[in-house]
Protein backbone atom coordinates (compact mmCIF):
# COMPACT_ATOMS: atom_id res chain seq x y z
CA UNK A 1 0.00 0.00 0.00
CA UNK A 2 1.75 3.18 -1.15
CA UNK A 3 1.92 6.13 1.19
CA UNK A 4 0.44 8.71 -1.14
CA UNK A 5 1.02 12.43 -0.84
CA UNK A 6 1.18 15.47 -3.12
CA UNK A 7 4.85 14.56 -3.59
CA UNK A 8 4.01 11.18 -5.10
CA UNK A 9 4.83 11.11 -8.84
CA UNK A 10 1.83 11.91 -11.03
CA UNK A 11 1.89 8.59 -12.87
CA UNK A 12 1.65 6.68 -9.61
CA UNK A 13 -1.26 8.79 -8.36
CA UNK A 14 -2.99 8.30 -11.70
CA UNK A 15 -2.52 4.54 -11.58
CA UNK A 16 -4.02 4.26 -8.10
CA UNK A 17 -6.81 6.65 -9.08
CA UNK A 18 -7.64 4.49 -12.09
CA UNK A 19 -7.53 1.32 -10.01
CA UNK A 20 -9.81 2.44 -7.18
CA UNK A 21 -11.54 5.76 -7.73
CA UNK A 22 -14.66 5.95 -9.87
CA UNK A 23 -15.29 9.47 -11.23
CA UNK A 24 -18.67 11.15 -11.72
CA UNK A 25 -19.92 11.75 -15.29
CA UNK A 26 -16.78 10.11 -16.67
CA UNK A 27 -16.00 7.31 -19.11
CA UNK A 28 -13.89 5.32 -16.69
CA UNK A 29 -11.82 3.30 -19.16
CA UNK A 30 -11.13 6.39 -21.27
CA UNK A 31 -9.84 8.25 -18.23
CA UNK A 32 -7.77 5.29 -17.08
CA UNK A 33 -5.93 5.36 -20.42
CA UNK A 34 -5.28 9.06 -20.25
CA UNK A 35 -4.76 9.56 -16.50
CA UNK A 36 -6.60 12.13 -14.40
CA UNK A 37 -5.24 15.61 -13.94
CA UNK A 38 -4.33 15.85 -10.27
CA UNK A 39 -4.93 19.12 -8.49
CA UNK A 40 -2.73 19.66 -5.47
CA UNK A 41 -3.24 23.21 -4.15
CA UNK A 42 -5.20 26.33 -4.94
CA UNK A 43 -5.19 30.01 -4.11
CA UNK A 44 -7.46 32.81 -5.34
CA UNK A 45 -8.45 31.85 -8.90
CA UNK A 46 -5.38 29.64 -9.42
CA UNK A 47 -4.99 25.88 -9.23
CA UNK A 48 -1.70 23.95 -9.08
CA UNK A 49 -1.46 20.44 -10.48
CA UNK A 50 0.93 17.61 -9.68
CA UNK A 51 3.03 18.42 -12.76
CA UNK A 52 3.71 21.91 -11.48
CA UNK A 53 1.28 23.75 -13.78
CA UNK A 54 -0.47 26.87 -12.57
CA UNK A 55 -3.96 26.90 -13.99
CA UNK A 56 -6.54 29.69 -14.18
CA UNK A 57 -9.78 28.17 -12.91
CA UNK A 58 -12.47 29.93 -14.94
CA UNK A 59 -15.10 27.48 -13.60
CA UNK A 60 -14.68 28.15 -9.85
CA UNK A 61 -14.38 24.40 -9.34
CA UNK A 62 -17.88 23.31 -10.32
CA UNK A 63 -19.44 26.81 -10.30
CA UNK A 64 -19.03 27.04 -6.56
CA UNK A 65 -15.83 28.63 -5.23
CA UNK A 66 -17.33 32.12 -5.18
CA UNK A 67 -14.89 33.68 -2.69
CA UNK A 68 -11.90 31.98 -4.32
CA UNK A 69 -9.52 29.37 -2.99
CA UNK A 70 -7.27 29.65 0.04
CA UNK A 71 -9.51 31.58 2.43
CA UNK A 72 -8.06 30.79 5.83
CA UNK A 73 -11.05 32.30 7.63
CA UNK A 74 -13.16 29.42 6.34
CA UNK A 75 -10.65 26.84 7.56
CA UNK A 76 -10.62 28.56 10.95
CA UNK A 77 -14.42 28.61 11.12
CA UNK A 78 -14.49 24.87 10.43
CA UNK A 79 -11.79 24.10 12.99
CA UNK A 80 -13.48 26.22 15.67
CA UNK A 81 -16.80 24.52 15.10
CA UNK A 82 -15.26 21.05 15.05
CA UNK A 83 -13.70 21.67 18.42
CA UNK A 84 -16.88 23.06 19.93
CA UNK A 85 -19.58 20.82 18.44
CA UNK A 86 -18.50 18.69 15.46
CA UNK A 87 -21.90 17.16 14.91
CA UNK A 88 -25.35 17.15 16.20
CA UNK A 89 -28.60 16.55 14.38
CA UNK A 90 -31.62 18.78 14.01
CA UNK A 91 -34.18 15.96 14.28
CA UNK A 92 -36.27 15.22 17.38
CA UNK A 93 -36.84 18.80 18.43
CA UNK A 94 -33.17 19.73 18.82
CA UNK A 95 -31.17 22.54 17.28
CA UNK A 96 -27.77 24.22 17.51
CA UNK A 97 -26.34 27.68 17.09
CA UNK A 98 -24.77 27.37 13.59
CA UNK A 99 -28.02 26.06 12.04
CA UNK A 100 -30.05 28.76 13.77
CA UNK A 101 -27.69 31.60 12.90
CA UNK A 102 -27.35 30.58 9.27
CA UNK A 103 -31.12 30.24 8.84
CA UNK A 104 -31.58 33.73 10.25
CA UNK A 105 -28.90 35.12 7.94
CA UNK A 106 -30.39 33.43 4.87
CA UNK A 107 -33.83 34.79 5.73
CA UNK A 108 -32.29 38.29 5.81
CA UNK A 109 -30.54 37.85 2.49
CA UNK A 110 -33.29 36.08 0.56
CA UNK A 111 -35.78 38.39 -1.16
CA UNK A 112 -39.41 38.92 -0.20
CA UNK A 113 -40.92 36.58 2.35
CA UNK A 114 -38.51 33.70 1.70
CA UNK A 115 -37.79 33.25 5.38
CA UNK A 116 -37.60 29.54 6.22
CA UNK A 117 -34.71 27.16 5.58
CA UNK A 118 -34.76 23.36 5.24
CA UNK A 119 -31.18 22.11 5.10
CA UNK A 120 -29.56 19.49 2.90
CA UNK A 121 -25.94 18.71 2.03
CA UNK A 122 -26.18 19.27 -1.72
CA UNK A 123 -28.31 20.71 -4.47
CA UNK A 124 -29.55 17.24 -5.43
CA UNK A 125 -30.77 16.57 -1.93
CA UNK A 126 -32.41 19.98 -1.72
CA UNK A 127 -34.31 19.41 -4.95
CA UNK A 128 -35.45 16.01 -3.70
CA UNK A 129 -36.76 17.88 -0.69
CA UNK A 130 -38.54 20.33 -2.97
CA UNK A 131 -40.24 17.60 -4.95
CA UNK A 132 -41.74 16.04 -1.82
CA UNK A 133 -42.37 19.43 -0.30
CA UNK A 134 -44.52 20.91 -3.08
CA UNK A 135 -46.63 17.76 -3.30
CA UNK A 136 -47.04 17.69 0.47
CA UNK A 137 -47.97 21.38 0.42
CA UNK A 138 -50.89 20.79 -1.92
CA UNK A 139 -51.99 17.62 -0.14
CA UNK A 140 -52.07 19.52 3.14
CA UNK A 141 -54.14 22.20 1.44
CA UNK A 142 -56.70 19.57 0.46
CA UNK A 143 -55.61 19.25 -3.17
CA UNK A 144 -53.68 15.96 -3.18
CA UNK A 145 -54.17 15.55 -6.93
CA UNK A 146 -51.86 18.53 -7.55
CA UNK A 147 -48.81 16.33 -8.17
CA UNK A 148 -47.26 17.22 -11.51
CA UNK A 149 -44.07 19.21 -11.54
CA UNK A 150 -43.13 20.90 -14.79
CA UNK A 151 -39.47 21.34 -15.70
CA UNK A 152 -37.49 22.00 -18.86
CA UNK A 153 -35.48 19.91 -21.26
CA UNK A 154 -31.76 20.47 -20.72
CA UNK A 155 -32.29 21.73 -17.17
CA UNK A 156 -29.94 20.43 -14.48
CA UNK A 157 -31.33 19.93 -10.99
CA UNK A 158 -29.06 17.20 -9.63
CA UNK A 159 -28.14 13.58 -10.04
CA UNK A 160 -30.22 11.64 -7.50
CA UNK A 161 -33.27 9.79 -8.83
CA UNK A 162 -35.64 12.58 -7.82
CA UNK A 163 -33.52 15.58 -8.80
CA UNK A 164 -32.22 13.84 -11.93
CA UNK A 165 -35.83 13.32 -12.96
CA UNK A 166 -36.58 16.96 -12.27
CA UNK A 167 -33.72 17.78 -14.58
CA UNK A 168 -34.19 17.45 -18.31
CA UNK A 169 -30.94 15.79 -19.33
CA UNK A 170 -31.85 12.99 -21.71
CA UNK A 171 -28.48 11.28 -21.32
CA UNK A 172 -29.11 10.96 -17.60
CA UNK A 173 -32.69 9.78 -18.06
CA UNK A 174 -31.41 6.97 -20.26
CA UNK A 175 -29.58 5.33 -17.35
CA UNK A 176 -31.12 3.77 -14.26
CA UNK A 177 -34.85 4.16 -14.71
CA UNK A 178 -35.42 7.89 -14.90
CA UNK A 179 -37.48 9.98 -15.03
CA UNK A 180 -39.85 8.97 -12.28
CA UNK A 181 -43.55 9.57 -13.06
CA UNK A 182 -45.25 12.89 -12.51
CA UNK A 183 -42.71 15.19 -14.11
CA UNK A 184 -43.37 16.94 -17.42
CA UNK A 185 -40.98 18.98 -19.57
CA UNK A 186 -41.18 22.01 -21.81
CA UNK A 187 -38.50 23.33 -24.16
CA UNK A 188 -35.66 25.59 -23.02
CA UNK A 189 -35.36 29.26 -24.04
CA UNK A 190 -32.22 28.71 -26.11
CA UNK A 191 -32.70 31.24 -28.89
CA UNK A 192 -29.30 30.70 -30.53
CA UNK A 193 -29.84 27.00 -31.18
CA UNK A 194 -33.61 26.75 -31.39
CA UNK A 195 -34.96 30.20 -32.21
CA UNK A 196 -35.03 29.75 -36.00
CA UNK A 197 -36.29 32.90 -37.72
CA UNK A 198 -37.99 34.33 -34.64
CA UNK A 199 -36.72 37.40 -32.84
CA UNK A 200 -35.33 36.59 -29.38
CA UNK A 201 -38.29 38.49 -27.86
CA UNK A 202 -40.93 36.50 -29.73
CA UNK A 203 -39.07 33.29 -29.06
CA UNK A 204 -38.90 34.04 -25.32
CA UNK A 205 -42.67 34.48 -25.24
CA UNK A 206 -43.24 31.35 -27.29
CA UNK A 207 -41.12 29.24 -24.95
CA UNK A 208 -42.75 30.71 -21.83
CA UNK A 209 -46.19 30.00 -23.27
CA UNK A 210 -45.27 26.36 -23.57
CA UNK A 211 -45.65 26.38 -19.79
CA UNK A 212 -49.20 27.64 -20.09
CA UNK A 213 -49.98 25.02 -22.74
CA UNK A 214 -48.52 22.26 -20.57
CA UNK A 215 -50.49 23.41 -17.52
CA UNK A 216 -53.70 23.40 -19.56
CA UNK A 217 -52.88 19.99 -21.01
CA UNK A 218 -52.31 18.46 -17.56
CA UNK A 219 -55.08 20.52 -15.93
CA UNK A 220 -54.14 23.34 -13.56
CA UNK A 221 -55.81 21.39 -10.75
CA UNK A 222 -53.15 18.69 -11.24
CA UNK A 223 -50.01 20.82 -11.38
CA UNK A 224 -47.98 21.48 -8.22
CA UNK A 225 -45.00 23.52 -9.37
CA UNK A 226 -42.69 24.73 -12.10
CA UNK A 227 -38.95 24.43 -11.45
CA UNK A 228 -36.22 26.29 -13.33
CA UNK A 229 -32.78 27.79 -12.99
CA UNK A 230 -32.96 31.59 -13.46
CA UNK A 231 -30.10 31.09 -15.93
CA UNK A 232 -29.47 27.47 -16.99
CA UNK A 233 -25.94 26.58 -15.95
CA UNK A 234 -24.92 23.01 -16.74
CA UNK A 235 -27.15 23.15 -19.84
CA UNK A 236 -24.64 25.61 -21.33
CA UNK A 237 -25.28 28.99 -19.66
CA UNK A 238 -28.48 29.67 -21.56
CA UNK A 239 -29.51 33.27 -20.85
CA UNK A 240 -33.22 33.58 -21.65
CA UNK A 241 -34.57 36.44 -23.79
CA UNK A 242 -35.87 39.35 -21.71
CA UNK A 243 -39.48 38.49 -22.44
CA UNK A 244 -39.21 35.01 -20.96
CA UNK A 245 -39.29 35.36 -17.18
CA UNK A 246 -42.02 38.03 -16.91
CA UNK A 247 -44.29 35.77 -18.94
CA UNK A 248 -43.43 32.73 -16.79
CA UNK A 249 -44.24 34.76 -13.68
CA UNK A 250 -47.61 35.79 -15.15
CA UNK A 251 -48.44 32.16 -15.91
CA UNK A 252 -47.53 30.67 -12.52
CA UNK A 253 -49.46 33.49 -10.82
CA UNK A 254 -52.49 33.07 -13.03
CA UNK A 255 -52.78 29.31 -12.54
CA UNK A 256 -51.74 29.12 -8.89
CA UNK A 257 -48.61 27.04 -9.51
CA UNK A 258 -45.66 27.18 -7.11
CA UNK A 259 -42.44 28.54 -8.61
CA UNK A 260 -39.18 26.87 -7.56
CA UNK A 261 -36.08 28.88 -8.54
CA UNK A 262 -33.07 26.59 -8.56
CA UNK A 263 -30.38 29.00 -7.37
CA UNK A 264 -27.68 26.38 -6.88
CA UNK A 265 -25.46 28.12 -9.46
CA UNK A 266 -27.12 31.54 -9.71
CA UNK A 267 -27.19 32.19 -5.95
CA UNK A 268 -24.69 34.06 -3.80
CA UNK A 269 -23.53 36.67 -6.25
CA UNK A 270 -22.99 34.71 -9.44
CA UNK A 271 -25.36 36.89 -11.52
CA UNK A 272 -24.36 40.19 -9.86
CA UNK A 273 -27.11 40.09 -7.22
CA UNK A 274 -27.40 37.87 -4.20
CA UNK A 275 -29.84 35.65 -6.11
CA UNK A 276 -30.57 35.02 -9.77
CA UNK A 277 -34.29 35.60 -9.21
CA UNK A 278 -33.44 39.23 -8.37
CA UNK A 279 -31.50 39.61 -11.61
CA UNK A 280 -34.36 38.04 -13.59
CA UNK A 281 -37.10 39.89 -11.66
CA UNK A 282 -39.06 36.86 -10.47
CA UNK A 283 -40.71 35.94 -7.18
CA UNK A 284 -40.19 32.27 -6.36
CA UNK A 285 -42.07 30.45 -3.61
CA UNK A 286 -39.08 28.20 -2.97
CA UNK A 287 -35.37 28.60 -3.77
CA UNK A 288 -32.86 25.77 -4.01
CA UNK A 289 -29.41 26.73 -2.71
CA UNK A 290 -26.01 24.98 -2.48
CA UNK A 291 -22.56 25.55 -4.05
CA UNK A 292 -21.79 29.27 -3.45
CA UNK A 293 -23.53 29.09 -0.05
CA UNK A 294 -20.25 27.76 1.35
CA UNK A 295 -18.12 28.56 -1.72
CA UNK A 296 -17.73 24.78 -1.92
CA UNK A 297 -15.61 24.64 1.24
CA UNK A 298 -18.21 22.38 2.86
CA UNK A 299 -21.03 20.35 1.32
CA UNK A 300 -24.21 22.19 2.19
CA UNK A 301 -27.46 23.01 0.42
CA UNK A 302 -31.03 23.73 1.26
CA UNK A 303 -34.46 25.00 0.35
CA UNK A 304 -35.68 28.46 1.32
CA UNK A 305 -39.47 28.58 1.64
CA UNK A 306 -41.86 31.51 1.59
CA UNK A 307 -43.94 32.27 4.67
CA UNK A 308 -47.05 30.85 2.99
CA UNK A 309 -45.42 27.55 1.99
CA UNK A 310 -43.65 27.15 5.33
CA UNK A 311 -46.87 27.76 7.24
CA UNK A 312 -48.61 24.88 5.47
CA UNK A 313 -45.64 22.50 5.80
CA UNK A 314 -45.27 23.39 9.48
CA UNK A 315 -48.87 22.33 9.97
CA UNK A 316 -47.94 18.68 9.46
CA UNK A 317 -45.08 16.35 10.31
CA UNK A 318 -42.99 16.42 7.12
CA UNK A 319 -41.39 12.97 7.17
CA UNK A 320 -38.18 13.99 5.49
CA UNK A 321 -34.61 14.92 6.42
CA UNK A 322 -31.00 13.93 6.20
CA UNK A 323 -28.45 12.95 8.86
CA UNK A 324 -26.46 16.00 7.86
CA UNK A 325 -29.36 18.48 7.51
CA UNK A 326 -27.94 21.61 9.13
CA UNK A 327 -24.52 20.08 9.81
CA UNK A 328 -22.89 22.44 12.32
CA UNK A 329 -19.48 22.59 10.60
CA UNK A 330 -21.05 23.20 7.20
CA UNK A 331 -23.34 25.88 8.65
CA UNK A 332 -20.44 27.60 10.43
CA UNK A 333 -18.41 27.68 7.23
CA UNK A 334 -21.39 28.94 5.21
CA UNK A 335 -21.96 31.74 7.73
CA UNK A 336 -18.34 32.81 7.49
CA UNK A 337 -18.51 32.63 3.70
CA UNK A 338 -21.59 34.89 3.70
CA UNK A 339 -19.74 37.29 5.98
CA UNK A 340 -16.84 37.45 3.51
CA UNK A 341 -19.19 38.02 0.56
CA UNK A 342 -20.91 40.82 2.49
CA UNK A 343 -17.94 42.52 4.21
CA UNK A 344 -15.78 42.55 1.09
CA UNK A 345 -18.63 43.81 -1.09
CA UNK A 346 -18.01 40.96 -3.51
CA UNK A 347 -21.55 40.84 -4.91
CA UNK A 348 -21.59 44.60 -5.54
CA UNK A 349 -18.18 44.39 -7.16
CA UNK A 350 -19.43 41.77 -9.59
CA UNK A 351 -22.50 43.89 -10.34
CA UNK A 352 -20.76 47.26 -10.74
CA UNK A 353 -17.10 46.64 -11.60
CA UNK A 354 -15.66 43.29 -12.51
CA UNK A 355 -18.90 41.90 -13.99
CA UNK A 356 -19.27 44.73 -16.54
CA UNK A 357 -15.53 44.56 -17.29
CA UNK A 358 -15.71 40.81 -17.91
CA UNK A 359 -18.84 41.29 -20.04
CA UNK A 360 -17.10 43.78 -22.30
CA UNK A 361 -14.06 41.55 -22.76
CA UNK A 362 -16.06 38.35 -23.09
CA UNK A 363 -18.37 39.83 -25.71
CA UNK A 364 -15.24 40.86 -27.60
CA UNK A 365 -14.64 37.17 -28.26
CA UNK A 366 -17.47 37.30 -30.84
CA UNK A 367 -14.81 38.87 -33.12
CA UNK A 368 -13.22 35.45 -33.27
CA UNK A 369 -14.19 33.50 -36.41
CA UNK A 370 -15.38 30.49 -34.36
CA UNK A 371 -17.66 32.40 -31.98
CA UNK A 372 -21.26 33.10 -32.94
CA UNK A 373 -22.61 34.61 -29.77
CA UNK A 374 -21.29 35.46 -26.32
CA UNK A 375 -23.84 35.55 -23.52
CA UNK A 376 -22.96 36.58 -20.01
CA UNK A 377 -24.77 37.56 -16.82
CA UNK A 378 -22.60 38.62 -13.90
CA UNK A 379 -19.93 35.94 -13.80
CA UNK A 380 -21.53 33.15 -15.79
CA UNK A 381 -21.05 33.22 -19.52
CA UNK A 382 -21.00 31.09 -22.64
CA UNK A 383 -19.77 31.19 -26.23
CA UNK A 384 -21.69 29.48 -29.00
CA UNK A 385 -19.17 28.02 -31.45
CA UNK A 386 -20.34 27.90 -35.04
CA UNK A 387 -18.98 27.21 -38.53
CA UNK A 388 -21.25 29.96 -39.92
CA UNK A 389 -22.23 32.98 -37.85
CA UNK A 390 -24.80 34.36 -40.27
CA UNK A 391 -26.99 31.27 -40.26
CA UNK A 392 -26.26 30.33 -36.61
CA UNK A 393 -25.44 26.86 -37.89
CA UNK A 394 -24.48 23.93 -35.75
CA UNK A 395 -21.48 21.86 -36.83
CA UNK A 396 -22.01 18.80 -39.02
CA UNK A 397 -20.05 16.70 -36.53
CA UNK A 398 -21.73 15.17 -33.50
CA UNK A 399 -22.56 17.86 -30.92
CA UNK A 400 -19.66 18.29 -28.53
CA UNK A 401 -16.93 17.20 -30.95
CA UNK A 402 -15.83 20.76 -31.64
CA UNK A 403 -16.41 21.86 -28.04
CA UNK A 404 -14.11 19.08 -26.87
CA UNK A 405 -11.33 20.15 -29.25
CA UNK A 406 -11.63 23.68 -27.92
CA UNK A 407 -11.68 22.58 -24.29
CA UNK A 408 -8.54 20.52 -24.79
CA UNK A 409 -6.79 23.62 -26.14
CA UNK A 410 -7.95 25.58 -23.08
CA UNK A 411 -6.50 22.90 -20.80
CA UNK A 412 -3.24 22.98 -22.79
CA UNK A 413 -3.14 26.74 -22.16
CA UNK A 414 -3.72 26.19 -18.43
CA UNK A 415 -7.23 27.61 -18.54
CA UNK A 416 -10.13 25.66 -17.10
CA UNK A 417 -13.05 26.40 -19.34
CA UNK A 418 -15.78 23.82 -19.87
CA UNK A 419 -17.65 22.78 -22.97
CA UNK A 420 -21.31 21.83 -23.03
CA UNK A 421 -21.93 20.45 -26.48
CA UNK A 422 -20.39 23.10 -28.70
CA UNK A 423 -20.80 25.94 -26.20
CA UNK A 424 -17.79 27.01 -24.14
CA UNK A 425 -18.64 28.20 -20.66
CA UNK A 426 -17.06 30.16 -17.84
CA UNK A 427 -18.04 30.75 -14.24
CA UNK A 428 -14.92 32.09 -12.49
CA UNK A 429 -14.51 32.82 -8.79
CA UNK A 430 -16.27 36.12 -8.06
CA UNK A 431 -13.03 37.57 -6.69
CA UNK A 432 -11.29 37.49 -10.07
CA UNK A 433 -9.39 40.74 -10.69
CA UNK A 434 -9.27 42.85 -13.85
CA UNK A 435 -5.74 41.60 -14.62
CA UNK A 436 -6.89 38.03 -14.21
CA UNK A 437 -9.87 38.71 -16.48
CA UNK A 438 -7.45 40.00 -19.13
CA UNK A 439 -5.38 36.85 -18.66
CA UNK A 440 -8.50 34.67 -18.96
CA UNK A 441 -9.57 36.36 -22.19
CA UNK A 442 -6.06 36.11 -23.69
CA UNK A 443 -5.87 32.42 -22.93
CA UNK A 444 -9.38 31.87 -24.30
CA UNK A 445 -8.49 33.72 -27.51
CA UNK A 446 -5.29 31.71 -27.95
CA UNK A 447 -7.18 28.45 -27.32
CA UNK A 448 -9.87 29.39 -29.85
CA UNK A 449 -7.17 30.18 -32.42
CA UNK A 450 -5.45 26.86 -31.86
CA UNK A 451 -8.77 25.00 -31.97
CA UNK A 452 -9.67 26.79 -35.21
CA UNK A 453 -6.44 25.59 -36.88
CA UNK A 454 -7.06 22.02 -35.73
CA UNK A 455 -10.71 22.07 -36.81
CA UNK A 456 -9.74 23.22 -40.30
CA UNK A 457 -7.04 20.55 -40.51
CA UNK A 458 -9.50 17.89 -39.43
CA UNK A 459 -12.27 19.05 -41.78
CA UNK A 460 -14.56 19.86 -38.88
CA UNK A 461 -15.58 23.37 -39.95
CA UNK A 462 -18.57 21.97 -41.85
CA UNK A 463 -22.06 23.26 -41.10
CA UNK A 464 -24.93 20.92 -40.35
CA UNK A 465 -27.56 20.90 -43.05
CA UNK A 466 -30.25 22.82 -41.15
CA UNK A 467 -30.15 25.10 -38.12
N1 LIG B 1 -29.18 22.45 -9.33
C1 LIG B 1 -28.35 23.10 -10.18
C2 LIG B 1 -28.85 24.29 -10.92
C3 LIG B 1 -27.04 22.65 -10.33
O1 LIG B 1 -26.22 23.28 -11.18
C4 LIG B 1 -27.52 20.90 -8.74
C5 LIG B 1 -28.80 21.39 -8.63
C6 LIG B 1 -27.14 19.70 -7.94
O2 LIG B 1 -26.26 20.06 -6.94
P1 LIG B 1 -25.28 18.94 -6.28
O3 LIG B 1 -24.69 19.70 -5.13
O4 LIG B 1 -26.10 17.81 -5.85
O5 LIG B 1 -24.29 18.56 -7.34
C7 LIG B 1 -26.61 21.53 -9.59
C8 LIG B 1 -25.22 21.00 -9.72
C9 LIG B 1 -21.60 20.58 -14.63
C10 LIG B 1 -22.08 20.23 -13.28
O6 LIG B 1 -21.00 19.70 -15.27
C11 LIG B 1 -23.05 21.00 -12.68
C12 LIG B 1 -23.51 20.64 -11.42
C13 LIG B 1 -22.99 19.53 -10.77
C14 LIG B 1 -22.03 18.78 -11.39
C15 LIG B 1 -21.56 19.11 -12.66
O7 LIG B 1 -21.81 21.69 -15.09
N2 LIG B 1 -24.52 21.39 -10.86
Amino acid sequence: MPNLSTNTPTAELQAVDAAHHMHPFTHGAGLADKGARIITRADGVWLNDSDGNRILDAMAGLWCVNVGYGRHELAEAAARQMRELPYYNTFFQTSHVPAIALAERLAELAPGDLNHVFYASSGSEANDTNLRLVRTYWAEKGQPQKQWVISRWNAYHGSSVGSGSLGGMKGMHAQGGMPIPGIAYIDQPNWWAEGGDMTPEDFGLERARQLEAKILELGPENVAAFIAEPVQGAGGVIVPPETYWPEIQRIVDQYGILLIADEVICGFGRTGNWFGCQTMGIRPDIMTIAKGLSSGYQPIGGSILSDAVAEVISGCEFNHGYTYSGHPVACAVALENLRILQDEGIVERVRDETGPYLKEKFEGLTEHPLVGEAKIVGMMGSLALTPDKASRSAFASEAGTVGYVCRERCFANNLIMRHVGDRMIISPPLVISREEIDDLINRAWRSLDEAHVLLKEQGLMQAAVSN
Side-chain angles (χ1 to χ4, degrees), residues 159-165 169-181:
S159 185
S160 59
V161 175
S163 63
S165 298
M169 298 284 176
K170 290 182 180 163
M172 292 176 69
H173 289 179
Q175 294 173 322
M178 297 201 290
I180 56 172

Side-chain angles (χ1 to χ4, degrees), residues 62-63 122-124 127 156-158 229 234 262 264-265 290-291 418:
L62 268 183
W63 323 77
S122 67
S124 300
N127 278 326
Y156 191 82
H157 297 300
E229 305 152 74
D262 186 336
V264 167
I265 285 177
K291 293 194 191 272
R418 285 264 319 280

Side-chain angles (χ1 to χ4, degrees), residues 388-402:
D388 180 13
K389 298 187 192 215
S391 63
R392 310 206 311 272
S393 292
F395 291 92
S397 51
E398 192 188 338
T401 310
V402 167

